[in-house]
Amino acid sequence: MAATADAGATVMIMDGGMGHMLRRLGVTVEGAVGSVERFLGVAKANEDSPQLVESAHRAFLDAGAQVVITNNYSCIPAVVGSEETVRYVTAAGKVARQAVGTSTGVLVAGSLPPLEASYRHDLVQTPERLAADYTVIAEALAPYVDVFVCETMSCAREAAGAYAAGSLLGKPMWVSWALSEKADGTLLSGETVEAAVEALGPKALEPGSPLQACFFNCSQAEAVEVALARLRAALPDWVRIGCYANGFKTVHSEGSPKASDEYREDFTPETFAEWGLRWQAKGATIIGGCCGIFPEHIKALHETLQRADTSASA
């Protein structure tokens, strides 16, 4: 199992929101935010328009990203059907690996996403169903990825199920939860950050376990800032922490035909980069963006963190 880096390392830059980047490039994204219907076009793009997906990955890499997440967030039975899930997930893994090519120091992270609508902890399936479906997704991704990331986990049980399935395949594991917009250090389910970490199980927190990093994603910047210190305190020092926050105004939205209506006006590339410095000050060593964060945001983040690193070492 390859190590991703130690917890005191220079900040690693992740990519931004692939679904919204593909929307910018012409893929249809419509419906309520978080709904399974919203992502059908994004899921099918891996096969129907692989060059478009690759170009989206490449745009983030060119902006300074050192991690790209496979475009299979929506490749789940609830969206594409059980029989098609492996096909679309495999296509996502292939195109991400092709985008990275022979680049050194770049990771492909395989997405283990919610199995139903996002942000709906009340829809999380039984442990048996979580184990079965996450195993299918992880096994399809495994030949193409360096690490698995359980992302947008709305409750502790969902994250624990995804982690347990992915960790059986011998790759490093990252776990990322979605936070309440109350900015009170709780998940969308109302559970605390500490309870979410504990639910991963005691073996996950032992040296040598697959767990290498924990995050918050698809969440408001303010909520992330509040929760990061609590996450750092709940984890062993050797587990890195990070975040990839949203550019959305809110995840509780019916969506809009006009994409710009869904995004925060104050989340310019420059202000996003400033948030990056604030998250870094809270202990984050892996930082990127989620929905509504584009290559220009990642470029500004990369350049700002580089300047801060240079100043600190001068």
Side-chain angles (χ1 to χ4, degrees), residues 36 45 198 214:
V36 294
E198 184 178 359
C214 289

Side-chain angles (χ1 to χ4, degrees), residues 49-133:
S49 306
Q51 298 89 349
L52 199 67
V53 177
E54 183 177 348
S55 69
H57 283 310
R58 287 286 343 159
F60 284 115
L61 291 169
D62 291 344
Q66 300 159 285
V67 181
V68 295
I69 299 179
T70 52
N71 183 49
N72 65 287
Y73 186 90
S74 50
C75 300
I76 54 176
V79 175
V80 298
S82 298
E83 294 182 3
E84 303 296 329
T85 296
V86 171
R87 189 176 116 211
Y88 284 114
V89 169
T90 300
K94 286 181 178 178
V95 74
R97 179 52 63 188
Q98 186 170 327
V100 169
T102 58
S103 300
T104 58
V106 178
L107 299 178
V108 176
S111 173
L112 300 181
L115 297 175
E116 300 290 340
S118 297
Y119 323 125
R120 293 291 303 275
H121 59 89
D122 57 311
L123 298 180
V124 173
Q125 298 292 331
T126 63
E128 294 77 17
R129 173 73 180 278
L130 293 175
D133 285 356

Side-chain angles (χ1 to χ4, degrees), residues 183-267:
D184 60 358
T186 62
L187 309 189
L188 287 168
S189 62
E191 296 164 293
T192 65
V193 169
E194 294 79 6
V197 170
E198 184 178 359
L200 297 177
K203 290 186 177 180
L205 304 183
E206 294 176 356
S209 85
L211 185 66
Q212 290 196 349
C214 289
F215 304 78
F216 301 117
N217 81 291
C218 222
S219 304
Q220 292 292 314
E222 294 82 358
V224 169
E225 185 176 36
V226 168
L228 277 172
R230 291 176 62 170
L231 182 62
R232 179 69 280 162
L235 290 165
D237 290 345
W238 48 267
V239 177
R240 298 179 74 163
I241 69 168
C243 57
Y244 46 118
N246 269 349
F248 271 154
K249 294 177 181 176
T250 176
V251 300
H252 306 295
S253 167
E254 291 304 309
S256 170
K258 186 178 179 183
S260 59
D261 289 344
E262 298 177 353
Y263 305 144
R264 291 177 57 161
E265 293 87 354
D266 62 329
F267 246 44

